Amino acid sequence: MKIILTGAKGFVGIRALEHLMKKGHEVECIASEELRGELKGERYDALVCRFERFQPDAVIHTAAISDMGQAESDPDASFLANVRLPEIMAILSEKFGCKLISCSSDQVYNGTTHILVHSEDEQCAPANVYGRHKLEGERRIAEISPNAVSLRLTWMYDIPTFRGHTNFGFPLQLIRAAAEDKPLKFSVNHFRGMTYVRSVAENMEKAISLPGGVYNFGSENTLDMYSTALAFMRSLGLEDRAEKLIIPFEEKENSLAMDCTRLKSCGVSFESTVEGVEKLLRDYEG
C-alpha cells in the first residue's frame, strides 16, 4: 500500500513510520514544517504536486501542535495546525480518492462533566483551545470526506531510545520519582486512559480499514490516577516503594477515560492502560 505520512519526526509519526516500513508499505513522508509553511499563505500547490506524483492509497495525518500550553499562548498557530491542516488533508484525500486517517485527542472530552467514561456520540464542550481546535478539525473532516477517520488519542508514553523522540510520559515520571526519592501526588477523582505509543503505531495500519467516522483510539482504564500510579509502580518493580512515593489527594471529579466499544466492534483493540506498560517492558527486555 502507498501511504502518505505527515509528522513522521513526531512522537507518534516516527513510530508509525517504523511499523509501516516493517510491514512493507511504500511511505511518503511530509514534514510538519513543510505543511505549515505551505499553508501560512493559504497555498498548498506543493502538497497537490506531492499527492499527484505519489498517488497514495491512504494518508495518515499525525502532524499537529499537541502542546496544550503552546495552543493556549498561540491560538492562531494551533488553528493552522489542528484545524486547517486536517481540513486540507481531507480536501486532498477526496481529490485523489484516498483514505484519510487523522489524529484527534481525548482533550475533546475535557470540560464534559458528570460522565465517567466517554463515548464518541456524546456532546463535547472542550475546556481548552487545543480540545476545541481538535473537535473543529474532526467536524471539518467529516463534512468534506465522510469516509475519513478521526482517531481520538489518549495521553501516550514510551521510554527514551537512541533514535526515537519521546515525551515525559507517565512511566518516566514514576521512574524519576523513584530515582530522586521525590513523592508524587495523584488524584483519586481523576480518570483517564494512557496508551503505549507503539501500540498506537501498530494499530494505525489497521485504522485504514475502519469505516468513516470518529473513534476513541487507545487503552481503556477503569482506575483513578492514584490507583493507576500504584499499578504502574508494581509493573516497574517498584512496589516496595509505591506507598512512600505515591500520595493520594482529592479534587473535583473529572474524567478523560474513553469507551472503545466502537473500535473493538471493528476488530481493532488495545491492551488496557496497565497491560500497556507491561507490553512496554517486554518490548525493551534485555
Side-chain angles (χ1 to χ4, degrees):
M1 186 179 292
K2 299 176 73 174
I3 300 171
I4 283 180
L5 175 66
T6 71
K9 294 181 181 178
F11 185 49
V12 176
I14 196 169
R15 291 159 177 85
L17 176 61
E18 179 184 14
H19 177 76
L20 293 169
M21 296 291 285
K22 189 182 298 183
K23 289 291 186 176
H25 299 291
E26 186 178 349
V27 183
E28 174 92 348
C29 296
I30 302 180
S32 300
E33 297 80 8
E34 179 182 347
L35 290 169
R36 291 169 195 162
E38 276 293 304
L39 296 185
K40 278 182 180 177
E42 291 298 308
R43 291 178 57 256
Y44 54 100
D45 300 355
L47 294 177
V48 173
C49 290
R50 294 281 289 272
F51 273 71
E52 197 164 47
R53 176 181 58 78
F54 189 64
Q55 291 295 313
D57 301 299
V59 177
I60 298 178
H61 178 57
T62 73
I65 288 178
S66 55
D67 184 310
M68 288 188 289
Q70 183 180 354
E72 292 290 337
S73 63
D74 193 348
D76 290 341
S78 174
F79 182 86
L80 178 67
N82 297 323
V83 179
R84 270 302 281 162
L85 277 179
E87 183 179 28
I88 293 300
M89 289 298 110
I91 292 169
L92 292 174
S93 295
E94 280 294 291
K95 178 180 177 67
F96 290 95
C98 53
K99 182 67 173 264
L100 172 63
I101 308 300
S102 182
C103 293
S104 186
S105 170
D106 62 359
Q107 286 296 321
V108 301
Y109 299 120
N110 192 342
T112 307
T113 58
H114 308 301
I115 298 177
L116 186 59
V117 182
H118 298 280
S119 67
E120 296 91 342
D121 294 327
E122 71 186 55
Q123 191 73 28
C124 295
N128 53 55
V129 168
Y130 177 66
R132 290 193 290 272
H133 284 169
K134 281 298 188 180
L135 189 62
E136 177 64 14
E138 291 179 9
R139 187 190 67 79
R140 295 192 184 195
I141 287 171
E143 281 188 352
I144 295 164
S145 181
N147 192 43
V149 168
S150 291
L151 305 176
R152 291 177 176 171
L153 305 181
T154 69
W155 186 18
M156 292 167 284
Y157 59 84
D158 201 348
I159 58 176
T161 60
F162 176 68
R163 291 185 177 87
H165 167 70
T166 194
N167 63 359
F168 188 56
F170 200 64
L172 287 183
Q173 289 185 26
L174 301 176
I175 291 169
R176 176 175 291 184
E180 298 177 354
D181 200 30
K182 290 184 178 179
L184 295 173
K185 292 183 178 181
F186 292 97
S187 171
V188 298
N189 308 107
H190 181 48
F191 299 81
R192 74 179 306 179
M194 290 174 285
T195 311
Y196 179 30
V197 68
R198 293 184 185 275
S199 293
V200 173
E202 291 165 7
N203 278 332
M204 282 287 180
E205 179 188 27
K206 299 176 185 177
I208 295 171
S209 64
L210 291 171
V214 176
Y215 295 84
N216 290 337
F217 197 78
S219 294
E220 294 176 311
N221 188 23
T222 59
L223 302 176
D224 60 64
M225 290 302 293
Y226 169 70
S227 301
T228 300
L230 291 179
F232 269 48
M233 292 289 276
R234 287 193 292 271
S235 295
L236 293 167
L238 299 169
E239 184 173 9
D240 59 329
R241 305 183 64 192
E243 289 190 9
K244 177 184 176 183
L245 292 172
I246 307 302
I247 310 300
F249 76 94
E250 293 190 9
E251 62 178 348
K252 182 179 178 180
E253 187 173 280
N254 64 93
S255 175
L256 297 179
M258 301 191 302
D259 179 352
C260 296
T261 298
R262 177 180 295 177
L263 184 69
K264 289 185 284 189
S265 72
C266 296
V268 183
S269 62
F270 286 83
E271 313 83 8
S272 71
T273 287
V274 175
E275 290 168 345
V277 77
E278 293 167 357
K279 178 181 177 181
L280 176 148
L281 295 172
R282 290 195 300 272
D283 281 355
Y284 288 98
E285 191 175 16

